């Protein structure tokens, strides 16, 4: 498991409990992934639209493009 800053520190986030979530380490890699190879390696973890939406919301806060897959 990994601890993820919902609002990254570089964008004004902090270490308050309300800004932290616990997620699977591979999902954490997918949230921060920018390289196509990394995204392709971990995309299988997304099983449904709800999961995709949650990951994309976290990616948006990190100023990363949404993942687009057909489920």
């Amino acid at each position: 498991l990994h601890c993820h800053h919902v609002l990254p520190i570089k964008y004004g986030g902090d270490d308050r409990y309300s800004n932290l979530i616990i997620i699977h380490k591979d999902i954490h890699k997918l949230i921060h992934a920018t390289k196509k190879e990394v995204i392709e390696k971990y995309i299988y973890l997304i099983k449904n639209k709800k999961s995709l939406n949650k990951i994309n919301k976290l990616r948006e806060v990190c100023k990363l493009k949404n993942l687009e897959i057909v489920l």
Side-chain angles (χ1 to χ4, degrees):
L1 296 176
H2 282 192
C3 186
H4 173 75
H5 290 90
V6 177
L7 179 61
I9 292 175
K10 69 180 180 180
Y11 297 124
D14 54 32
D15 289 332
R16 283 184 288 172
Y17 184 76
S18 60
N19 190 45
L20 301 172
I21 58 172
I22 302 298
I23 55 177
H24 188 276
K25 64 182 181 121
D26 292 341
I27 294 292
H28 200 205
K29 291 176 185 175
L30 189 56
I31 290 169
H32 291 287
T34 57
K35 294 181 180 177
K36 183 179 178 181
E37 301 82 27
V38 176
I39 293 170
E40 288 174 352
K41 181 176 180 179
Y42 295 105
I43 201 77
Y44 77 93
L45 295 168
I46 300 175
K47 302 293 184 191
N48 55 54
K49 187 77 169 168
K50 185 176 178 181
S51 296
L52 176 62
N53 289 340
K54 286 181 180 182
I55 291 170
N56 278 336
K57 283 181 184 179
L58 293 169
R59 286 179 60 86
E60 285 174 11
V61 177
C62 294
K63 301 192 186 303
L64 296 172
K65 290 177 26 178
N66 282 347
L67 299 175
E68 296 181 15
I69 61 172
V70 176
L71 296 172

